């Protein structure tokens, strides 16, 4: 199977943990890219770091690697393979998915290591 093409998004992101009952700030919904995850126990937001979010806990300085899609939902092993490459390079990841593609977040200080490891493993990067 041919390796996917990835693209590094320009923004730096923060991952916020909010109280499960907290409302999603309206400024989040105005962003071009954001991710919201809610369970019975937590509410998590991944948003551009420039937003000031009142959160219980925040982790800053994440960069986003977009796997350019669309990817078919029946495709198997894409994230497992990328995860193995990055684990071997000692790069921690945070993953979010949409209907059409996946996004791998890596810390800013690991971005160059992640990109080089993925290129070495045969992945391509779009310079756009």
């Amino acid at each position: 199977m041919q390796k996917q093409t990835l693209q590094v998004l320009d923004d730096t992101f923060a991952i916020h943990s909010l109280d499960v009952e907290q409302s999603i700030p309206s400024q989040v919904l105005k962003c071009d890219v954001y991710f919201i995850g809610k369970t019975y126990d937590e509410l998590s937001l991944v948003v551009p770091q420039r937003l000031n979010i009142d959160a219980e806990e925040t982790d800053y300085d994440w960069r986003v690697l977009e796997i350019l899609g669309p990817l078919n939902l029946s495709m198997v092993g894409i994230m497992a393979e990328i995860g193995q490459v990055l684990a071997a390079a000692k790069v921690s990841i945070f993953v979010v998915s949409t209907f059409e593609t996946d996004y791998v977040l890596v810390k800013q200080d690991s971005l160059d290591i992640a990109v080089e490891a993925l290129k070495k493993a045969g992945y391509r990067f779009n310079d756009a």
Side-chain angles (χ1 to χ4, degrees), residues 16 27 29 56 58 122:
H16 301 281
Q27 61 183 340
L29 304 177
E56 293 181 345
T58 301

Side-chain angles (χ1 to χ4, degrees), residues 23-85:
S23 296
I24 297 166
S26 62
Q27 61 183 340
V28 169
L29 304 177
K30 295 175 185 171
C31 292
D32 289 333
V33 177
Y34 61 87
F35 301 94
I36 299 171
K38 184 174 181 184
T39 67
Y40 298 109
D41 301 317
E42 72 173 302
L43 172 61
S44 295
L45 304 177
V46 178
V47 297
Q49 189 163 293
R50 67 181 176 276
L51 294 184
N52 185 16
I53 302 293
D54 181 22
E56 293 181 345
E57 193 172 344
T58 301
D59 197 331
Y60 295 101
D61 299 325
W62 290 88
R63 295 299 302 275
V64 177
L65 306 176
E66 176 184 3
I67 303 169
L68 298 179
L71 304 177
N72 187 308
L73 289 174
S74 65
M75 295 176 79
V76 176
I78 293 171
M79 289 311 306
E81 199 170 310
I82 290 172
Q84 286 177 336
V85 169

Side-chain angles (χ1 to χ4, degrees), residues 9-30:
L9 300 187
D10 291 332
D11 282 331
T12 300
F13 285 76
I15 303 170
H16 301 281
S17 176
L18 285 68
D19 182 274
V20 70
E21 298 300 323
Q22 189 171 341
S23 296
I24 297 166
S26 62
Q27 61 183 340
V28 169
L29 304 177
K30 295 175 185 171

Side-chain angles (χ1 to χ4, degrees), residues 94-111:
F94 185 91
V95 178
V96 290
S97 297
T98 66
F99 189 86
E100 292 191 349
T101 196
D102 298 310
Y103 298 82
V104 179
L105 286 78
V106 301
K107 293 295 269 190
Q108 173 67 47
D109 61 2
S110 297
L111 179 61

